[in-house]
Amino acid sequence: MAASLGNFTGTLVLVGAGKMGGAMLEGWLALGLDLNKVAIFEPTPAPEIAALSNRGVRVNPPVEAIADAAVVILAVKPQVAAQAVPPLKAVMRPDTVAVSVMAGKTIAFLAGALGDVAIVRSIPNTPAAIGRGITVAVANSRVTDVQRSLVHTVLSSVGAVEWVGDEGLIDAATAVSGSGPAYVFLLAESLARAGAAAGLPTDLAARLARATVAGSGELLHRSPLDAATLRQNVTSPNGTTAAALAILMAADGLDPMLRKAVAAATKRSRELAG
């Protein structure tokens, strides 16, 4: 369980209150963060974000008015980062840590925009929207142990957090966990199509596939057993599951396909990072 933000001091600045930023904000409030300690920069705030100004949140305040930023969360779309990030240099103090959740933006890019400050680059994934995401993070040398602990709490508001020591691993992490939900959703689509091809009504096949993928994921989440053991527990010798797995686990089956897919995503992540 994530630690509390009830004792958070200073201002938590959220730059970009779209789906990911909004999910993080909900998570922070659930952890007890005082609304008066939040400042949001969002050029087109949704009505629910704008309404928070009536509850103490500072929505689009003058940048120079923020004198006590402890954490600055950069959650804007990567394509507008070059315009959105540099003005935030004005809120950075010696004890402020900037945390990027933008895909493809390196620590070097962030340091170029913000200066020689504490920076964490991270990549969350879309299950963060329901508090079940996982974020992989890497810190630069300016991040203190205290700041890292605080960032861990802030990021854990939307799910699990894993740290790596090598920024180069962020590209592979993006390919596995950042893009991974799309692979799982594709599995549900493909399973539904296969069910329909086997004779099931299309709508029933879709419901069965959706419930199977969702339920299996929840079982994997709750069980202390690893994925291989759970798979083996479903598989009777010479049964229906074994017949299907003989196809999926063949030399040209799922493993080599996913290796190629993850390699392609990793390569593209590096290209986008420049």
Side-chain angles (χ1 to χ4, degrees):
M1 180 177 291
S4 171
L5 287 173
N7 295 322
F8 180 87
T9 58
T11 295
L12 201 164
V13 181
L14 174 61
V15 186
K19 290 182 180 179
M20 184 59 67
M24 296 183 77
L25 177 61
E26 288 184 15
W28 301 335
L29 300 183
L31 292 179
L33 182 64
D34 186 342
L35 287 168
N36 291 293
K37 296 179 179 178
V38 178
I40 297 174
F41 291 98
E42 170 57 56
T44 55
E48 59 270 23
I49 296 296
L52 290 174
S53 61
N54 297 322
R55 299 172 57 192
V57 174
R58 287 160 281 170
V59 179
N60 293 324
V63 173
E64 59 273 13
I66 300 175
D68 61 346
V71 181
V72 177
I73 302 291
L74 305 170
V76 298
K77 294 184 183 301
Q79 56 265 37
V80 302
Q83 293 75 43
V85 176
L88 298 167
K89 187 174 184 179
V91 308
M92 300 299 295
R93 306 181 308 166
D95 58 349
T96 305
V97 57
V99 182
S100 170
V101 297
M102 301 181 294
K105 293 304 176 185
T106 64
I107 288 176
F109 165 83
L110 297 167
L114 298 173
D116 185 19
V117 296
I119 295 171
V120 172
R121 178 186 175 189
S122 69
I123 181 72
N125 63 6
T126 55
I130 59 168
R132 287 282 296 277
I134 187 162
T135 300
V136 180
V138 61
N140 72 355
S141 60
R142 293 296 302 273
V143 177
T144 66
D145 290 344
V146 170
Q147 287 174 322
R148 176 169 162 146
S149 178
L150 176 58
V151 170
H152 189 97
T153 299
V154 167
L155 293 176
S156 66
S157 65
V158 291
V161 181
E162 297 284 348
W163 290 86
V164 295
D166 178 2
E167 186 179 5
L169 295 176
I170 292 292
D171 298 306
T174 299
V176 173
S177 58
S179 300
Y183 316 156
V184 177
F185 301 146
L186 176 60
L187 172 61
E189 293 178 72
S190 295
L191 185 56
R193 286 192 289 266
L200 289 171
T202 302
D203 58 342
L204 176 59
R207 291 196 299 274
L208 293 179
R210 183 185 185 114
T212 298
V213 171
S216 300
E218 186 63 22
L219 177 59
L220 182 61
H221 174 68
R222 296 189 187 189
S223 175
L225 302 177
D226 61 22
T229 301
L230 290 171
R231 169 180 56 77
Q232 291 160 3
N233 288 347
V234 183
T235 310
S236 300
N238 299 314
T240 58
T241 306
L245 290 178
I247 303 298
L248 293 172
M249 299 178 72
D252 59 349
L254 188 59
D255 266 15
M257 289 179 61
L258 274 179
R259 278 198 297 269
K260 288 190 289 186
V262 168
T266 301
K267 179 175 180 288
R268 184 57 180 153
S269 178
R270 290 175 180 145
E271 291 170 350
L272 292 173

